[in-house]
Amino acid sequence: MTPEELAEELTVGQLAQRSGLAVSALHFYERKGLIHSRRTAGNQRRYPRSVLRRVAVIRAAQRAGIPLTTVEEAFAQLPERGTPSRADWERMSQAWREEIQGRIDRLEHLRDRLDGCIGCGCLSMTSCALVNPEDRLGREGPGAPALDL
């Protein structure tokens, strides 16, 4: 590494402070292979500044309900070291856009049916003239299938 690259590295404490995450969360992400560090001669972690972008993406994905396994799959398509290009990020965000839209669709479906189903009681009674005539849903299995998309 060049002296400039070494000067640009962050300690785990600096990365925690800049990202707003606990050191333990950063260690967890590293164990999962989501972020990478190098070890100094004294066995201390050093992170390139580009890790800040990856951490920001992880946090945004988690806020959107995207599982870490999905983030891991997306990161596998990015360069392991260095800063991913704008095209890399756009490709990843397009894939997540579809997943997020699916979540929105399911949540809207749930929102639009939840109050009627709970108010009616069809999820706990054997019949409902509107949503569950002759306990049709009971034959589909346990749970609340009227709320599934």
Side-chain angles (χ1 to χ4, degrees):
M1 295 185 80
T2 68
E4 293 81 24
E5 289 172 323
L6 290 173
E8 291 287 312
E9 289 183 320
L10 301 170
T11 66
V12 70
Q14 290 169 323
L15 182 58
Q17 182 179 17
R18 291 283 310 272
S19 67
L21 291 171
V23 169
S24 60
L26 296 169
H27 290 171
F28 174 76
Y29 293 156
E30 191 167 359
R31 281 193 307 276
K32 296 290 260 177
L34 297 170
I35 61 174
H36 301 281
S37 68
R38 73 169 186 86
R39 297 294 183 130
T40 66
N43 203 29
Q44 296 175 336
R45 290 177 169 90
R46 293 293 186 265
Y47 296 90
R49 286 194 176 275
S50 62
V51 167
L52 283 168
R53 283 194 190 164
R54 289 179 185 259
V55 171
V57 169
I58 293 167
R59 292 191 71 190
Q62 288 182 308
R63 279 190 222 114
I66 295 173
L68 284 179
T69 54
T70 303
V71 175
E72 186 176 9
E73 290 166 5
F75 279 4
Q77 306 302 313
L78 299 175
E80 186 174 319
R81 303 283 186 221
T83 304
S85 70
R86 182 173 187 86
D88 291 329
W89 290 123
E90 286 174 1
R91 188 174 48 256
M92 184 175 59
S93 69
Q94 183 59 40
W96 287 356
R97 177 181 243 80
E98 294 168 14
E99 183 171 337
I100 290 169
Q101 186 59 53
R103 287 173 184 268
I104 290 168
D105 293 345
R106 287 188 299 278
L107 287 169
E108 286 177 344
H109 178 79
L110 177 63
R111 178 203 63 208
D112 294 344
R113 300 190 77 186
L114 187 62
D115 59 342
C117 287
I118 290 175
C120 169
C122 68
L123 300 178
S124 59
M125 296 174 57
T126 58
S127 66
C128 170
L130 297 174
V131 178
N132 192 24
E134 299 175 16
D135 197 23
R136 175 183 51 84
L137 295 175
R139 291 187 293 277
E140 292 181 21
L147 298 178
D148 291 338
L149 181 63

